[in-house]
Amino acid sequence: MSRLDARALTRELVAFRTVNPPGMERACARHLGALLEGAGFRIEYHEFAEARTSLIASIGSGHSATPPICFTGHIDVVPLGAKPWSHDAFAGETDGDRIYGRGTTDMKSGIAAFVAAAIDAAADLARGPGLVVVITAGEEVGCEGAKYLADHRHLDRAGAIVVAEPTANYPYVGHKGLAWFEVETSGVTAHGSMPELGENAILKMARVIGDLERFEFAVRSHPVMGEPTLNVGTFEGGSGVNLVPDLAKIGVDIRTVPGVDHKKLISRLKTLMGKADVDVFSDLPPVWTAPDDDWMQRVFEICKPVLGKKPRARTATYMTDAANLLKVYAGAPTVVLGPGEAQMAHQTDEYCNMERIRESVAIYEALIDDWIR
Ligand SMILES: [Zn+2]
């Protein structure tokens, strides 16, 4: 049993109002930093904007041939939504085995569990390859915190990554990648009664959308992740029914699987869309570790008694910070594994189960033991 109670820590973390936007993660990051520092971890804070604080905490000799194991999670949470809650979203109210509140599942319980496991093992970790905790701000809006840490070289090395996003303690071997872009078509405005004098940007965009709908990725279906997808998520254009529109915009969300070359994909799409203006504002490759990878097999073995059966290869439906961390921790096998209930993420009356948090702490302790053995 961990000396630091991860369930109590989950409730403490929920009380920090880190709803993103605006996030304002500084106080929450400093609270966690103080706990880890007290246990002998070296602490660094990095802010990608005022009070948008991420935390890197590390322990270990630093000279070991084996790099440290990394545990990661984000402290920002999504807004409460329009529906009223029947529990206070920031009080960490408990009812039976449940803790209610925004971020209980996604993903303050996961952070509490790995912080508890890491502090518990601090004395052993100090001697060997060690452990690095990466706690990020701004994940829910474009993975800003992790992107900042990776792009500004604040990360050193890690030999494996555990992402404590909600999986009900089922180990996921990765997730799809993404490419998000905005497309703009322009035209020439004119009076709506004389469209022949103008150039209609919406009609041009309609042709672009038709082309996107017919687009073929031309990659083999991935055995676990399946097919890449494309969704046109937003459309804007025109300023009045009696005007020929001179501008139209769409937002497109592509989710990719291993085997898709993002550079080639984006260049094919640009060719397809011809004269339209394309702005790619997010571009992250898929995260994938082969299920028969040595370490992943050990993760499966460690989870087996908790799940009651050996896990099969499955992937998460959502994106995680791992996609950015892997820019630096290249090649590190990565598992998405945390105590939250995936179907409760971003929901009204979000909750997590205390029993799952207890299980998570035990799994994380076993992963740490396995790493430093
Ligand atoms: Zn999350």
Side-chain angles (χ1 to χ4, degrees):
M1 189 65 202
S2 170
R3 284 178 294 265
L4 175 69
D5 184 349
R7 292 162 295 188
L9 180 56
T10 302
R11 301 178 63 205
E12 277 169 45
L13 296 180
V14 168
F16 289 95
R17 295 175 183 239
T18 52
V19 172
N20 182 12
M24 299 295 124
E25 296 90 344
R26 186 185 283 154
C28 188
R30 290 199 172 257
H31 182 74
L32 288 161
L35 285 174
L36 287 157
E37 194 166 24
F41 284 70
R42 300 178 290 276
I43 303 296
E44 283 172 38
Y45 297 105
H46 297 286
E47 301 196 337
F48 68 85
E50 177 67 16
R52 306 303 310 275
T53 314
S54 297
L55 160 70
I56 301 175
S58 45
I59 193 165
S61 73
H63 305 299
S64 172
T66 310
I69 184 171
C70 170
F71 284 80
T72 187
H74 62 85
I75 43 176
D76 61 321
V77 299
V78 292
L80 301 188
K83 264 215 263 166
W85 284 52
S86 53
H87 295 269
D88 186 318
F90 302 103
E93 286 175 13
T94 57
D95 184 4
D97 185 47
R98 291 177 177 178
I99 305 174
Y100 284 90
R102 177 54 90 219
T104 46
T105 258
D106 186 11
M107 54 173 288
K108 287 173 169 173
S109 57
I111 290 174
F114 71 63
V115 167
I119 287 178
D120 227 28
D124 294 334
L125 282 165
R127 292 186 292 271
L131 180 149
V132 58
V133 161
V134 179
I135 291 173
T136 62
E139 190 269 351
E140 296 285 5
V141 182
C143 299
E144 291 170 290
K147 183 173 188 316
Y148 181 85
L149 294 178
D151 293 354
H152 290 78
R153 304 187 173 278
H154 293 308
L155 302 168
D156 185 14
R157 56 179 195 150
I161 305 174
V162 180
V163 188
E165 289 275 9
T167 70
N169 292 331
Y170 200 99
Y172 290 124
V173 298
H175 55 75
K176 285 183 174 175
L178 63 78
W180 286 351
F181 54 92
E182 211 169 59
V183 185
E184 252 184 51
T185 50
S186 44
V188 177
T189 192
H191 196 278
S193 65
M194 294 171 284
E196 68 281 7
L197 298 181
E199 235 180 80
N200 191 315
I202 290 181
L203 292 181
K204 286 187 192 176
M205 187 60 87
R207 288 189 281 277
V208 168
I209 292 171
D211 289 341
L212 287 174
E213 199 182 358
R214 287 183 293 273
F215 181 73
E216 303 263 3
F217 285 93
V219 283
R220 217 175 292 154
S221 173
H222 186 270
V224 179
M225 292 191 202
E227 314 283 335
T229 59
L230 184 155
N231 180 55
V232 178
T234 61
F235 188 109
E236 280 171 65
S239 51
V241 70
N242 59 344
L243 289 168
V244 175
D246 61 355
L247 189 67
K249 279 187 205 178
I250 57 169
V252 184
D253 175 358
I254 285 180
R255 303 295 171 119
T256 61
V257 302
V260 175
D261 179 328
H262 279 218
K263 254 198 190 132
K264 282 188 191 150
L265 170 70
I266 289 163
S267 123
R268 271 184 69 208
L269 286 163
K270 283 185 172 169
T271 309
L272 175 79
M273 291 185 277
K275 288 203 179 88
D277 209 35
V278 182
D279 174 30
V280 180
F281 60 91
S282 201
D283 177 9
L284 289 165
V287 169
W288 168 255
T289 301
D292 62 1
D293 169 87
D294 242 25
W295 181 71
M296 192 60 82
Q297 282 297 315
R298 282 166 16 227
V299 175
F300 282 10
E301 279 304 320
I302 285 167
C303 293
K304 190 168 136 185
V306 172
L307 301 169
K309 55 180 187 288
K310 184 148 186 209
R312 291 184 302 116
R314 286 191 198 161
T315 49
T317 52
Y318 46 75
M319 194 70 198
T320 77
D321 276 336
N324 274 298
L325 301 188
L326 282 163
K327 290 181 195 166
V328 182
Y329 301 154
T334 300
V335 69
V336 185
L337 169 62
E341 306 291 323
Q343 84 281 2
M344 287 316 298
H346 304 194
Q347 299 294 312
T348 306
D349 290 325
E350 178 179 343
Y351 65 81
C352 66
N353 293 101
M354 290 193 248
E355 177 59 14
R356 290 246 201 265
I357 299 177
R358 199 192 56 73
E359 288 169 1
S360 266
V361 175
I363 290 172
Y364 295 160
E365 284 178 342
L367 288 171
I368 292 170
D369 268 3
D370 168 79
W371 191 258
I372 60 180
R373 206 163 3 113

